[in-house]
Amino acid sequence: MSREHHVGHSRRDFLKTSGKIAAAATLASSLPRVHAAESNTIQIALIGCGGRGTGAVTDAIEAKVVPVKLVAMADVFEDRVRGSYAQLSQRYPQNVDVPEERRFVGLDSYKQAMDCLRPGDVAILATPPAFRWVHLAYAIEKGIHVFMEKPVTVDGPSTRRMLELAKKVDEKNLKVGVGLMVRHCRGRMQLYDRIRSGEIGDIIAMRAYRMAGVSAVCGKPEGMSELLFQIRRFHSFIWASGGVFSDYYIHQIDECSWMKDAWPVQAHALGGRHYRETGIDQNFDTYSVEYTYPDGTKLFFFGRNMNGCHNEFASYVHGTKGAAIVSTSAHYPGRVRTFRGHHFTREEMIWAFPQPEPSPYVMEWVDLLEAIVKDKKYNEVERGAIASLVTAMGRMAAHMGRIVTYEEALNHPVELCAYVDQLKPDSPAPVRLRENGTYPVPMPGIITDREYPEA
């Protein structure tokens, strides 16, 4: 389920469940000086006006930690800006002040939108992930706090660059949240503590599934440049998003690594394309990855995008004394539970987080905004970059047909779009259409030093 599907779960649900979030008036009293004089409102610029960006603005408003106001919007596509503005201004008229002159369109529009902010305001970065480091670097330069969607990198070179930017975030005392919202799920936080306390014993294996229908297959519409088409359909192109693997599967790889309290050190994977019909994207239809952690423990991840097959969206942890459910049927609600056996029956259940649970999509904004108004250290960039890298490590293993280690993924020399920060409307597209009307796809065992042939 995507971020925009959860906006109806308000702070009221959280208060019912935990009742521990401070009142907005109390928080406002500790606002940094830039907000304390004439206004305690935090201004927001939305960079990337698709469903995720629009949902992130909604979640920021629903957090109700401090007044927020959307004051600028930017996207490569005018219709995305127009649609997002119409939706948000109708639903939250008191929180949206974006006249036409502050709605920007184009590859450089992120600068124009962030230029509308004051130091200490917040930029939401929700464009295709390939642009994430470019936009974060500009926000740091401007002294602006950031919420950025996952994944935050798509390859080794961009990960190394993002890790350097993480240091600059701390140097400037900025606060940056990353949209791995599961880490802010109150139920999963308790589950993590229970696993760490030994409730299900030592972890011996984990498994996760994201299996659904066909996704991200596409055909190019008439009248659109190749570059803009690849940006518009970013899930279909590995350079822009890491493909469906990085963009969809990162959450479960991250949440299982969290429960393990470690990052995997290598990935062994397989995957393939089956009956493609008119799809011309670069993704595989199926992926299976064996992730190995430093102590040898395995995470088995299974991804599939095919119609008519068994669907499953869940994550499980198995221990020496029992098991746990990390995700049930989507990211939210998690409905986390622990069991004294491995059959996940009601009779064997030890504990379940009370329902209804607060939306993690809203709670990640509660945590970020509280850090801003209380001036607490808050920097999720490094963790987001590593989560993005270990996800890419599994993708690379499947696409190249061999085992890939963490160190190789991090230090891999191939940058999928080395000139992403220099793209112009008339720039050549990072992936070239072949004579047969398709794009280059991974060739495991044949192309083993990069994910797909250059042409």
Side-chain angles (χ1 to χ4, degrees):
M1 298 175 77
S2 60
R3 177 180 304 280
E4 59 269 28
H5 292 159
H6 303 284
V7 298
H9 296 270
S10 70
R11 178 174 160 86
R12 182 170 59 253
D13 296 324
F14 171 64
L15 292 172
K16 287 180 180 178
T17 307
S18 66
K20 296 296 184 181
I21 296 181
T26 302
L27 292 171
S29 66
S30 59
L31 285 168
R33 185 166 184 168
V34 67
H35 300 295
E38 72 284 353
S39 172
N40 66 347
T41 298
I42 292 178
Q43 298 181 146
I44 291 177
L46 173 59
I47 319 298
C49 300
R52 288 175 180 171
T54 304
V57 174
T58 297
D59 296 329
I61 295 170
E62 291 291 339
K64 294 179 170 55
V65 170
V66 67
V68 298
K69 181 164 287 189
L70 180 67
V71 299
M73 305 176 75
D75 200 286
V76 175
F77 302 100
E78 191 275 335
D79 66 311
R80 291 271 171 86
V81 177
R82 184 176 64 249
S84 179
Y85 173 77
Q87 181 179 337
L88 291 167
S89 60
Q90 181 177 9
R91 184 169 184 181
Y92 301 104
Q94 302 303 313
N95 301 91
V96 177
D97 178 19
V98 193
E100 194 165 341
E101 61 267 23
R102 292 204 298 268
R103 300 175 217 161
F104 306 102
V105 176
L107 286 165
D108 287 335
S109 61
Y110 71 95
K111 293 182 179 179
Q112 297 166 294
M114 281 193 260
D115 287 348
C116 296
L117 298 179
R118 309 162 298 191
D121 285 331
V122 178
I124 295 174
L125 309 183
T127 63
F131 298 94
R132 199 73 77 240
W133 73 264
V134 180
H135 297 171
L136 177 62
Y138 193 72
I140 294 171
E141 179 185 328
K142 301 287 292 187
I144 296 168
H145 305 302
V146 167
F147 173 83
M148 56 182 179
E149 269 296 355
K150 56 77 207 168
V152 301
T153 68
V154 296
D155 52 34
S158 61
T159 300
R160 298 195 297 272
R161 199 172 291 117
M162 189 65 75
L163 291 172
E164 289 302 311
L165 290 174
K167 299 174 185 176
K168 294 183 178 181
V169 168
D170 284 337
E171 290 171 4
K172 297 194 73 170
N173 191 31
L174 296 174
K175 323 303 177 187
V176 180
V178 173
L180 293 169
M181 71 290 163
V182 168
R183 295 270 186 156
H184 299 267
C185 171
R186 275 31 185 183
R188 291 178 178 92
M189 286 179 175
Q190 289 192 24
L191 176 62
Y192 171 84
D193 290 340
R194 287 173 175 270
I195 291 175
R196 296 271 68 76
S197 71
E199 187 164 295
I200 64 170
D202 295 329
I203 294 176
I204 54 176
M206 298 176 289
R207 54 192 175 93
Y209 308 82
R210 185 159 178 176
M211 298 175 166
V214 168
S215 177
V217 294
C218 61
K220 184 176 176 296
E222 295 292 331
M224 182 178 289
S225 75
E226 187 63 43
L227 173 61
L228 290 182
F229 167 60
Q230 292 184 21
I231 294 173
R232 182 86 178 199
R233 303 294 189 190
F234 63 95
H235 289 107
S236 297
F237 297 97
I238 298 168
W239 76 266
S241 63
V244 296
F245 194 103
S246 284
D247 200 81
Y248 293 172
Y249 303 156
I250 184 173
H251 286 295
Q252 288 168 282
I253 295 166
D254 178 62
E255 69 183 4
C256 289
S257 297
W258 178 25
M259 297 302 149
K260 177 60 181 170
D261 209 17
W263 295 110
V265 294
Q266 74 174 35
H268 181 198
L270 55 86
R273 290 163 70 90
H274 300 277
Y275 31 86
R276 300 300 293 167
E277 299 177 344
T278 59
I280 58 172
D281 63 296
Q282 295 186 290
N283 296 296
F284 282 174
D285 300 301
T286 59
Y287 291 96
S288 300
V289 185
E290 176 194 272
Y291 281 104
T292 302
Y293 290 84
D295 66 356
T297 302
K298 308 290 186 180
L299 162 62
F300 300 97
F301 177 82
F302 304 93
R304 179 167 60 202
N305 294 277
M306 297 174 69
N307 294 332
C309 300
H310 170 74
N311 291 340
E312 188 164 356
F313 194 149
S315 301
Y316 307 95
V317 178
H318 294 271
T320 53
K321 299 193 310 184
I325 294 175
V326 186
S327 292
T328 301
S329 59
H331 303 309
Y332 171 68
R335 292 198 289 272
V336 293
R337 285 154 280 171
T338 57
F339 300 83
R340 60 179 56 89
H342 297 272
H343 296 295
F344 303 110
T345 62
R346 184 177 296 275
E347 292 73 23
E348 292 189 347
M349 189 170 71
I350 302 170
W351 166 84
F353 187 77
Q355 299 295 314
E357 60 188 271
S359 167
Y361 295 90
V362 174
M363 298 315 302
E364 64 183 344
W365 273 98
V366 169
D367 295 340
L368 173 60
L369 291 172
E370 284 192 349
I372 292 172
V373 299
K374 293 182 175 181
D375 195 24
K376 298 187 298 185
K377 182 176 179 179
Y378 195 91
N379 183 356
E380 296 187 329
V381 177
E382 179 179 313
R383 180 167 57 75
I386 295 174
S388 300
L389 179 71
V390 298
T391 303
M393 178 172 72
R395 186 195 75 218
M396 293 168 67
H399 288 175
M400 296 192 292
R402 60 181 179 81
I403 292 174
V404 175
T405 66
Y406 179 94
E407 292 301 323
E408 181 188 0
L410 178 62
N411 295 299
H412 201 275
V414 176
E415 186 165 7
L416 297 174
C417 182
Y419 55 96
V420 67
D421 58 330
Q422 303 167 39
L423 286 174
K424 305 295 182 185
D426 58 351
S427 296
V431 176
R432 282 182 269 171
L433 194 66
R434 298 183 293 192
E435 290 184 1
N436 64 359
T438 65
Y439 295 94
V441 296
M443 303 172 68
I446 298 175
I447 306 296
T448 60
D449 59 347
R450 57 184 298 130
E451 293 190 65
Y452 52 86
E454 293 188 67

